[in-house]
């Protein structure tokens, strides 16, 4: 069964050697970019194009044509290649269309080498683009998948290559277009024709003396044409006739596969997930990359479902409008049957899209169930058993967990929100009465309504409850940062001008990681900010002049986290400027800011504080949908990293952190 994809959707590939077939209304040139895990090519040598059509594992046509074929041998690709991006571009010239939107949409078909169709993708929705990334093949947990991308560039091939990070993109684009203009695209060879070729020299990728037999990767025919993977002694399977293209006026509905196809001899179904099944030098890095991969997979799977559901809704609307367009045919059995058929098609498409989403969610849920128990303390929830055997680490961590994220289509699947260390931005814990919706949680999940106590009821939390939860969130995040760093490598200071944070700060004070009560009043604010501003100035000068050994001996070498409670109470204009300076310049030299504040209470300062809010990462003390992912821009519901109610885990962890800290001179700051 052929899986027809929509933009953003992905699908597993069940073979190691495939053909990517492109059908367009007019000539197009094709190129392939071999990228790393982030899709970035190391250089121009990683671009397979008409001027350099052969690379290990990949072959592209040597010219522009309306029908193109790209041969890919996934098992012959270099180990450093994790993403294969297929690019399409209009060659230009007299009479040629200037954009893909001026002609019928191109279509992509992925087949086995014997012509068996696997995946189809009509690249619809194009306008002024003259170059695009059509599809990409990417490696995920040791298996290859294909993703429908359809990202276009109005600036042409040069803009596309520049966006991929290639230097001298304009020169490379000109070279590709010139090479495509000098060659006529070869036509597909009929079955058996390749065996009759008489090559002048052994083809690339073949062993000498046995032309046409692949040694490591696809054999490159010296006289043009597509790659022939057939064994000389085996019978040839006739290639099926290509399907007739659909008319541009009636684009086909994107049918959604009900499950992954499996090749003969391959084990059916997805492989069992394994914790740490990602790239990285250490287990921590592999788990971090695996969680990020789950984050991206969930974002794209939900995007594909929403796209299919949106397409189904728009098609239903068009079909109902067409059924009602003729006043004379609005009534009667025929009109009612047409409307019922349109609704049935809508329901069928949405149901199939949901089935694919459910399949992906089941796989991601299974992966989450093996990844969560394997996470180290810095990446684990507070209810994780790993905290019972917590020991202060001896090495700096690479990331910490700041909460969980989920989408409404999968409320039970939580993705950890991991932030790399050292922190590049400060944190703003919003204590204001935002438009918080009623929280929806899994009733069997300990992390949810119960850890927030009575604050999350059927009604939104009141102002006092939000202020208390915001400060508890600040303490929980500070405790996690302290617990993730080696002894003496991280320190916490608190500004509480009104003195209202006493009870919530008890875990920090009683453990000794906060050596003294926070200074009160405007004078205390000025003293702390003056000391931290001087610290940032000294560290910046030492780093700039490479004179860190000349720093004053009383300067505490630990990174500093300043928690500011009840901002802007107790701040004058000078203190505000110093706080903005710390937010902008502090992270680079290990001075971090955590603001517990209600933005509405600072409105009297007008736009003066806007740069401060923008410089901080906003998190909330109750679930709120305000964070967006970098791939498709979903609004994710964020849940704060609070410990379960009545749990002593944070106090026990802070006690161990305090016991492991070296003695610190009280004069150091």
């Amino acid at each position: 069964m052929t899986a027809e994809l929509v933009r953003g959707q992905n699908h597993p590939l069940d073979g190691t050697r495939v053909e990517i077939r492109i059908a367009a209304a007019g000539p197009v040139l094709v190129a392939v970019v071999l990228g790393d895990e982030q899709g970035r090519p190391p250089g121009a040598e990683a671009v397979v194009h008409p001027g350099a059509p052969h690379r290990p594992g990949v072959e592209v046509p040597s010219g522009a044509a309306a029908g193109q074929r790209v041969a890919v041998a996934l098992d012959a690709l270099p180990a450093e290649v994790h993403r294969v991006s297929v690019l399409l571009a209009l060659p230009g010239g007299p009479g040629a269309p200037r954009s893909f939107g001026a002609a019928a949409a191109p279509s992509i078909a992925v087949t086995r080498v014997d012509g068996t169709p696997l995946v189809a993708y009509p690249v619809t929705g194009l306008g002024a683009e003259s170059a695009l990334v059509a599809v990409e093949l990417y490696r995920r947990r040791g298996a290859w998948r294909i993703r429908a991308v359809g990202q276009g560039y109005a600036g042409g091939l040069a803009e596309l290559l520049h966006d991929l990070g290639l230097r001298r993109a304009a020169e490379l684009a000109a070279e590709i277009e010139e090479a495509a203009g000098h060659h006529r695209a070869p036509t597909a060879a009929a079955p058996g024709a390749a065996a009759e070729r008489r090559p002048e020299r052994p083809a690339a990728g073949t062993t000498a003396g046995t032309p046409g037999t692949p040694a490591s990767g696809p054999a490159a025919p010296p006289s043009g044409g597509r790659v022939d993977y057939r064994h000389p002694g085996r019978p040839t399977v006739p290639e099926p006739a290509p399907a007739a293209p659909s008319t541009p006026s009636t684009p086909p509905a994107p049918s959604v596969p009900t499950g992954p196809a499996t090749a003969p001899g391959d084990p059916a179904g997805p492989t069992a997930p394994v914790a740490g099944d990602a790239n990285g030098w250490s287990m921590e890095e592999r788990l971090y990359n695996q969680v990020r991969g789950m984050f991206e997979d969930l974002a794209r799977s939900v995007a594909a479902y929403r796209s299919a559901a949106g397409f189904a809704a728009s098609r239903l609307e068009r079909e109902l409008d067409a059924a009602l367009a003729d006043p004379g045919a609005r009534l009667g059995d025929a009109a009612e049957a047409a409307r019922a058929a349109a609704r049935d098609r809508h329901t069928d498409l949405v149901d199939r899209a949901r089935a694919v989403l459910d399949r992906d969610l089941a796989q991601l849920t299974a992966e989450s169930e093996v990844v969560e128990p394997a996470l180290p303390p810095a990446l684990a929830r507070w209810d994780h058993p790993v905290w019972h055997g917590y020991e202060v680490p001896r090495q700096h961590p690479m990331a910490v967990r700041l909460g969980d994220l989920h989408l409404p289509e999968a409320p039970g699947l939580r993705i950890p929100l991991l932030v790399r260390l050292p922190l590049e931005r400060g944190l703003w814990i919003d204590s204001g009465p935002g438009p918080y919706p009623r929280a929806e949680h899994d009733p069997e999940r300990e992390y949810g309504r119960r850890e927030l106590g009575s604050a999350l009821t059927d009604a939104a939390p009141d102002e006092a409850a939000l202020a208390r939860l915001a400060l508890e969130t600040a303490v929980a995040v500070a405790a996690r940062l302290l617990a993730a760093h080696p002894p003496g490598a991280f320190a916490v200071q608190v500004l509480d001008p009104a003195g209202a944070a006493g009870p919530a700060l008890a875990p920090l004070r009683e453990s000794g990681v906060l050596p003294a009560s926070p200074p009160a009043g405007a004078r205390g604010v000025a003293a702390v900010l003056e000391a931290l501003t001087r610290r940032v100035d000294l560290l910046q000068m030492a780093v700039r002049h490479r004179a860190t050994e000349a720093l004053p001996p009383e300067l505490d070498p630990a990174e500093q986290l300043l928690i500011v409670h009840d901002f802007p109470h107790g701040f004058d204009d000078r203190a505000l400027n110093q706080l903005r300076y710390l937010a902008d310049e502090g992270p680079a030299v290990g001075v971090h800011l955590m603001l517990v504040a209600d933005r509405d209470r600072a409105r009297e300062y007008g736009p003066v504080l806007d740069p401060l809010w923008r410089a901080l990462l906003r998190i909330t003390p109750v679930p709120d949908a305000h964070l967006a992912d970098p791939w498709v821009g979903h609004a994710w519901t964020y849940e704060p990293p609070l410990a379960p109610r009545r749990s002593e885990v944070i106090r026990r962890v802070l006690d161990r952190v305090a016991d492991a800290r070296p003695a610190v001179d009280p004069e150091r700051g």
Side-chain angles (χ1 to χ4, degrees):
M1 177 180 177
T2 305
E4 291 195 18
L5 306 183
V6 296
R7 182 175 297 175
Q9 192 173 9
N10 60 70
H11 191 271
L13 290 177
D14 62 342
T16 58
R17 300 194 173 193
V18 297
E19 277 189 358
I20 302 172
R21 306 183 180 189
I22 299 100
V28 295
L29 61 88
V30 180
V32 169
V33 175
L34 307 177
D36 57 14
E37 293 177 344
Q38 285 73 41
R40 296 290 182 180
E45 69 279 1
V47 182
V48 192
H49 58 84
H54 310 304
R55 288 286 187 274
V58 178
E59 181 183 354
V60 302
S62 57
Q68 302 274 37
R69 294 185 182 183
V70 176
V72 181
L74 299 172
D75 56 349
L77 291 171
E80 61 270 16
V81 174
H82 290 264
R83 192 169 300 184
V84 179
S85 302
V86 179
L87 318 181
L88 305 183
L90 296 175
R98 298 294 182 183
S99 66
F100 282 104
S107 62
I108 310 295
V110 181
T111 70
R112 296 194 182 100
V113 292
D114 62 1
T116 304
L118 299 175
V119 173
Y121 169 44
V123 192
T124 58
L126 299 176
E129 300 90 341
S130 59
L132 63 95
V133 180
V135 295
E136 64 181 17
L137 283 60
Y138 64 101
R139 202 194 307 256
R140 181 82 171 99
R141 295 192 299 273
W144 284 92
R145 302 176 69 90
I146 183 170
R147 178 180 293 125
V149 181
Q151 162 130 21
Y153 293 81
L157 189 58
E159 181 184 357
L160 190 158
L161 296 174
H162 181 270
D163 191 54
L164 290 176
L166 285 164
R167 297 181 179 179
R168 303 178 62 186
E171 291 85 343
L172 180 58
E175 177 185 345
I176 295 174
E177 292 168 354
E178 181 181 4
H182 289 168
H183 297 82
R184 186 176 63 87
T187 57
E196 300 172 2
R197 294 193 185 105
R198 188 173 299 170
E200 299 176 1
R201 64 180 185 274
T206 64
T207 57
T210 56
T213 305
S216 60
S223 59
R226 68 186 180 95
V227 176
D228 184 19
Y229 293 111
R230 294 169 301 170
H231 191 281
R234 294 178 184 168
T236 300
V237 179
E239 190 173 288
S246 58
T247 59
S249 58
T250 57
S255 64
V256 185
T258 58
T262 56
D266 291 345
T271 58
V274 178
D277 189 11
N279 293 323
W281 292 102
S282 64
M283 187 61 174
E284 182 186 19
E285 185 178 2
R286 292 197 294 272
L287 287 168
Y288 172 85
N289 290 332
Q290 187 172 11
V291 169
R292 184 168 177 83
M294 294 165 57
F295 187 19
E296 180 178 359
D297 282 353
L298 180 57
R300 295 191 184 278
S301 294
V302 171
Y305 168 73
R306 292 180 180 179
S307 177
F311 176 87
S314 63
R315 186 180 66 177
L316 174 63
E317 184 178 358
R318 291 195 306 269
E319 291 178 346
L320 292 179
D321 288 344
L324 298 174
D326 184 3
R330 291 178 182 174
L331 303 177
D333 294 340
E336 184 60 32
R339 290 192 289 270
R343 295 189 185 97
D344 290 342
R345 285 191 292 272
H346 170 269
T347 302
D348 177 67
L349 180 56
V350 172
D351 288 346
R352 285 188 289 145
R354 184 69 209 194
V356 173
L357 177 63
D358 290 341
R359 180 200 68 195
D360 292 344
L361 292 180
Q363 185 171 354
L364 288 170
T365 300
E367 187 173 7
S368 176
E369 289 173 353
V370 300
V371 169
E372 281 284 1
L375 294 177
L379 309 183
R381 297 194 303 260
W382 283 116
D383 60 350
H384 197 294
V386 73
W387 290 108
H388 296 299
Y390 167 77
E391 297 291 340
V392 180
R394 298 298 171 183
Q395 295 181 345
H396 287 268
M398 69 173 298
V400 293
R401 186 174 190 155
L402 291 186
D404 290 343
L405 300 171
H406 72 268
L407 291 171
E409 286 83 357
L413 178 58
R414 263 64 173 182
I415 303 295
L417 174 60
L418 306 183
V419 177
R420 292 294 296 264
L421 295 178
L423 294 172
E424 297 181 356
R425 301 172 62 187
L427 302 175
W428 165 31
I429 301 176
D430 190 356
S431 61
Y436 301 122
R438 176 179 174 178
E440 296 181 2
H441 295 283
D442 184 348
E444 300 298 325
R445 181 178 170 84
E446 181 69 21
Y447 240 60
R449 182 182 302 270
R450 281 177 285 177
E451 80 271 14
L452 298 180
S454 60
L456 283 184
T457 59
D458 290 345
D462 58 23
E463 185 175 351
L466 275 174
R468 175 178 60 83
L469 288 171
L471 195 51
E472 289 182 5
T473 302
V475 172
V477 173
R480 182 176 293 272
L481 289 168
L482 286 164
H485 285 80
F490 201 87
V492 174
Q493 300 186 49
V494 176
L495 279 180
D496 183 27
L505 297 177
L508 296 174
R509 287 204 322 270
E510 294 172 2
S511 64
V513 296
L514 189 64
S517 298
R523 181 174 299 179
V525 170
V528 172
L529 293 180
E530 189 68 34
L532 287 176
T533 301
R534 176 177 176 271
R535 175 188 179 88
V536 171
D537 290 339
L538 288 173
L539 290 172
Q540 282 185 335
M541 288 189 292
V543 171
R544 186 180 304 118
H545 298 288
R546 301 180 181 178
T548 53
E549 70 282 353
L551 288 170
E554 68 273 10
L555 190 72
D556 186 358
E559 292 187 50
Q560 302 291 316
L561 174 67
L562 176 63
I563 302 175
V564 181
H565 179 242
D566 205 20
F567 176 81
H569 180 78
F571 280 74
D572 55 19
D573 291 343
R574 176 178 172 80
L576 288 176
N577 288 330
Q578 289 176 322
L579 195 68
R580 287 180 53 184
Y581 176 73
L582 293 178
D584 293 337
E585 306 294 335
V589 290
V591 176
H592 310 288
L593 182 63
M594 183 189 295
L595 214 61
V596 183
D598 176 4
R599 187 171 182 175
D600 287 341
R601 296 183 58 185
R603 288 192 180 277
E604 61 185 80
Y605 294 98
V608 174
L609 292 181
D610 286 348
L612 176 63
W613 305 117
R614 288 195 297 266
L616 305 175
L617 172 63
R618 175 178 176 256
I619 59 177
T620 54
V622 295
D624 183 42
H626 69 279
L627 294 176
D629 63 79
W631 301 287
V632 292
H634 290 319
W636 293 73
T637 298
Y638 167 80
E639 293 185 7
L642 294 175
R645 181 61 59 184
R646 293 182 296 276
S647 171
E648 295 293 322
V649 60
I650 292 181
R651 290 178 181 268
R652 290 197 303 267
V653 168
L654 290 176
D655 287 341
R656 294 182 184 177
V657 170
D659 292 341
R661 297 182 71 183
V664 178
D665 187 346
E667 296 298 323
R668 295 173 68 178

